[in-house]
Amino acid sequence: MTGLEADLLVPIKSLSRAKTRLRGAAGDSVADPGSHARLTLALGRDTIAAARTAPGVHRVIALTSDPEVTEVLTADGVPVLADRPEHDLNGALTYGAEVLRATGTPRAIGALQADLPALRTDELAEALAYAQDTFRVGRATRAFCADSHGGGTTLLVCAPWSPLQPRFGVGSAVAHQRSGALRLSGDWPGLRQDVDTPDDLWQAARLGLGPATAAVLRNVARPRG
């Protein structure tokens, strides 16, 4: 396996606009913005904490324009790149990749979604190693990991000096594949279990949540079944 390391960008929306389908999942009123913000931020903190300790990751950079997210993550020791307010997700990631490229260091660059509270370091390390082996033998210059439903994307990686070309959004897995990215096929349940709905959250809980998300949900009853 190649010894190249990757820099990972983790985009986090403004807490007031992120994860709207999760409102109420933290156990308080759907209208309570505080509980929702705590849950959204916890998802990101657990994702970043797992990614930072994964072999093959050089550094993890949060990409956000939210001052609360910036304050909390900076206190956690996480580098934060200020996004521009006019960017959508793909624009933000393209901008972030350009900033990293400007340093002149030949590393792979990845976009990791910020809602993977059951992420395990070994899963991410293996996915990155497979991606970089793909780059080394020339099979592709970009690779991605589809989510547990198969339609979304949780991780997109590009080879050193190659453009990231993010295609996140509805149907992103097909969009990434059609744009030339290789679909990674490993068994990585934590890496694939992104959280968009309450059911996704409980599926992640079955895999084992990170400490920040677990703390937010400690007194919330799980659905049966």
Side-chain angles (χ1 to χ4, degrees):
M1 290 184 180
T2 178
L4 288 173
E5 291 185 313
D7 286 334
L8 297 182
L9 293 163
V10 179
I12 302 180
K13 287 182 182 179
S14 170
L15 296 180
S16 63
R17 297 186 294 110
K19 296 296 170 189
T20 55
R21 286 186 289 168
L22 270 181
R23 291 194 183 279
D28 293 315
S29 167
V30 171
D32 178 11
S35 63
H36 180 71
R38 287 190 293 273
L39 176 58
T40 301
L41 183 54
L43 297 175
R45 293 180 73 191
D46 282 334
T47 301
I48 290 171
R52 292 180 80 191
T53 59
V57 174
H58 175 255
R59 58 179 172 167
V60 179
I61 302 98
L63 184 60
T64 186
S65 59
D66 188 294
E68 181 180 354
V69 175
T70 299
E71 181 179 1
V72 170
L73 293 182
T74 299
D76 287 345
V78 179
V80 176
L81 176 61
D83 186 23
R84 294 175 178 173
E86 69 272 14
H87 285 156
D88 60 8
L89 175 58
N90 291 317
L93 289 169
T94 299
Y95 165 71
E98 290 171 350
V99 171
L100 294 181
R101 286 279 184 253
T103 66
T105 304
R107 291 193 186 95
I109 291 177
L112 181 68
Q113 295 288 61
D115 57 352
L116 304 170
L119 179 64
R120 299 292 179 265
T121 58
D122 59 331
E123 296 177 349
L124 179 58
E126 188 172 308
L128 289 173
Y130 275 109
Q132 300 236 41
D133 280 349
T134 293
F135 305 154
R136 179 174 54 82
V137 300
R139 289 185 63 198
T141 59
R142 293 158 61 244
F144 72 96
C145 179
D147 65 13
S148 59
H149 301 292
T153 302
T154 60
L155 173 70
L156 173 69
V157 190
C158 67
W161 308 124
S162 297
L164 185 61
Q165 295 181 316
R167 300 286 190 274
F168 288 95
V170 176
S172 64
V174 171
H176 283 130
Q177 194 161 10
R178 285 178 175 171
S179 69
L182 179 73
R183 182 186 292 254
L184 299 171
S185 58
D187 181 22
W188 307 307
L191 177 58
R192 296 187 186 279
Q193 187 57 66
D194 56 353
V195 173
D196 291 316
T197 67
D199 184 64
D200 292 335
L201 183 58
W202 307 131
Q203 292 297 330
R206 291 186 176 98
L207 296 173
L209 297 170
T213 307
V216 171
L217 299 179
R218 192 158 290 142
N219 297 317
V220 179
R222 268 63 166 175
R224 296 180 180 179

